[in-house]
Amino acid sequence: MAESEEQKLVLPIIDSHIHLFREADLPNHNWYDPSKPIVSGARFLPEFKEAAKSAPSLLGFVFVEVDVKHDLDAGEEGWKLPLEEVATLSRVALGEPSEEDIGVDKDDAKLCLGIVPWAPMPLGAEVLEKYIAKVQETAGEAWPKVKGFRYLVQDKPHGTMVQDKFIESLKLLGRKGLVFEVGVDHHRRGRQQLDELLVMIEKAHDGVPEEERVTFILNHLCKPDLSIYNITSDPAFHAWRTAIYTLSTCSKTYMKLSGAFNEMPASLQTASASHIFQSTLGWLGIILATFGADKIMFGSDWPVCTYNEVGDDAWAKWRDVVEKMCWMASLSDEDRAMIFGGTAKKAYGL
């Protein structure tokens, strides 16, 4: 065991899924509720570095948009806050913080490996083209670090992601070599979200040359219900498992090992990494068996992983859970390196 602990320290890690925001940004988010003090204050680069300090081999992170407020019906004015988020992360990525970017310095630039902003995907390719031009203008010299876009569908009406204009937008991202970050929620929205996800991927890739197909990066195991006790007979688990098997066969489709804490009961969130691993083995085992090490990647979902009952040690705890999965499966050093960094490099083109 001593050898594995030593190896864990030197294994290069890319955290493929974090969110960053300053205290002043909080009211700009759709999820913000001032009555919940657990989300008060900044969750910016200094706080992330403190959370991940147990991993001296951390190479950096991919920033994913934080669900800022936007208005699809307001034209370019509805893009104001998403573009401000791009501007903030671009300053981080260039090591050129403003006075408001408290605690960030020029040496932090190397940690920001990729940026995935929001995009108005339902509005079609013509509007998306204009928006991407705005993002490029806003990002300036940081534009090469913009690796793709996300539009959360987990809380949108059924059918959103399979509309013609949405598919148009996905095909445009593929032609531009940009990924699409997929946020769906099987736990709360049911099987239809996973069924539509499969249709979306099929439509987006239909008739498109392999080199122009958009890359899909699935967030948070597609948010399964990790409170299920008897997975052998539960229909929701069976539906998730069937969808995962099919998703794993799709070309240019990757899965993030992330976001699990928010799908667990509170009693499990506070448990040890060993107990969490044992309780989630049914799900993690299927992800590993289907996608394989070269199509799954470690992501902390920081700071969301610290909310509810989990606490400030959530980053290290989730890293340990993923480590235990690797050792239980007797993965080679090469496979472990893919999960903790290599797959993210490949999928995002870092």
Side-chain angles (χ1 to χ4, degrees), residues 251-297:
S251 72
K252 302 181 82 167
T253 301
Y254 299 86
M255 177 67 81
K256 284 183 177 176
L257 290 172
S258 61
F261 284 125
N262 282 332
E263 313 314 316
M264 299 175 189
S267 59
L268 187 54
Q269 293 173 359
T270 57
S272 67
S274 293
H275 187 70
I276 290 172
F277 168 69
Q278 291 168 5
S279 299
T280 57
L281 181 58
W283 291 267
L284 296 176
I286 285 170
I287 295 292
L288 185 58
T290 53
F291 278 83
D294 62 343
K295 291 184 74 176
I296 59 180
M297 65 187 88

Side-chain angles (χ1 to χ4, degrees), residues 101-323:
D101 304 328
I102 298 169
V104 179
D105 62 47
K106 63 180 181 180
D107 292 336
D108 290 325
K110 63 181 182 295
L111 288 175
C112 183
L113 303 177
I115 302 171
V116 181
W118 172 90
M121 300 296 291
L123 299 183
E126 184 177 348
V127 174
L128 181 59
E129 186 93 59
K130 293 177 182 176
Y131 175 76
I132 292 174
K134 284 286 188 183
V135 170
Q136 186 168 358
E137 177 187 339
T138 302
E141 292 181 12
W143 167 248
K145 289 192 176 182
V146 176
K147 300 301 180 182
F149 293 91
R150 182 170 81 157
Y151 178 85
L152 281 173
V153 291
Q154 63 190 33
D155 57 346
K156 304 303 187 293
H158 286 309
T160 297
M161 66 181 117
V162 296
Q163 297 292 331
D164 289 345
K165 284 188 176 295
F166 206 104
I167 302 302
E168 263 183 36
S169 295
L170 291 169
K171 290 185 176 182
L172 176 64
L173 293 185
R175 291 194 296 274
K176 290 181 174 291
L178 296 162
V179 311
F180 182 63
E181 196 93 18
V182 183
V184 293
D185 189 343
H186 180 243
H187 188 171
R188 294 160 194 85
R189 299 297 302 280
R191 180 174 178 171
Q192 188 169 343
Q193 281 234 314
L194 298 188
D195 289 343
E196 289 184 4
L197 170 58
L198 288 162
V199 172
M200 177 182 76
I201 294 173
E202 182 180 357
K203 284 187 169 186
H205 286 173
D206 185 39
V208 178
E210 180 70 19
E211 65 273 12
E212 292 185 7
R213 288 182 173 184
V214 62
T215 293
F216 290 100
I217 301 181
L218 311 179
N219 297 175
H220 309 338
L221 316 178
C222 296
K223 292 195 171 187
D225 181 357
L226 298 180
S227 68
I228 295 171
Y229 181 72
N230 188 354
I231 60 175
T232 58
S233 60
D234 190 277
F237 177 81
H238 289 175
W240 175 85
R241 181 181 62 186
T242 300
I244 293 300
Y245 272 107
T246 308
L247 287 165
S248 72
T249 66
C250 297
S251 72
K252 302 181 82 167
T253 301
Y254 299 86
M255 177 67 81
K256 284 183 177 176
L257 290 172
S258 61
F261 284 125
N262 282 332
E263 313 314 316
M264 299 175 189
S267 59
L268 187 54
Q269 293 173 359
T270 57
S272 67
S274 293
H275 187 70
I276 290 172
F277 168 69
Q278 291 168 5
S279 299
T280 57
L281 181 58
W283 291 267
L284 296 176
I286 285 170
I287 295 292
L288 185 58
T290 53
F291 278 83
D294 62 343
K295 291 184 74 176
I296 59 180
M297 65 187 88
F298 168 79
S300 68
D301 195 26
W302 188 90
V304 182
C305 63
T306 67
Y307 297 165
N308 301 317
E309 304 298 324
V310 190
D312 291 338
D313 66 339
W315 194 96
K317 186 185 286 189
W318 183 244
R319 187 270 318 275
D320 288 348
V321 170
V322 177
E323 273 283 0

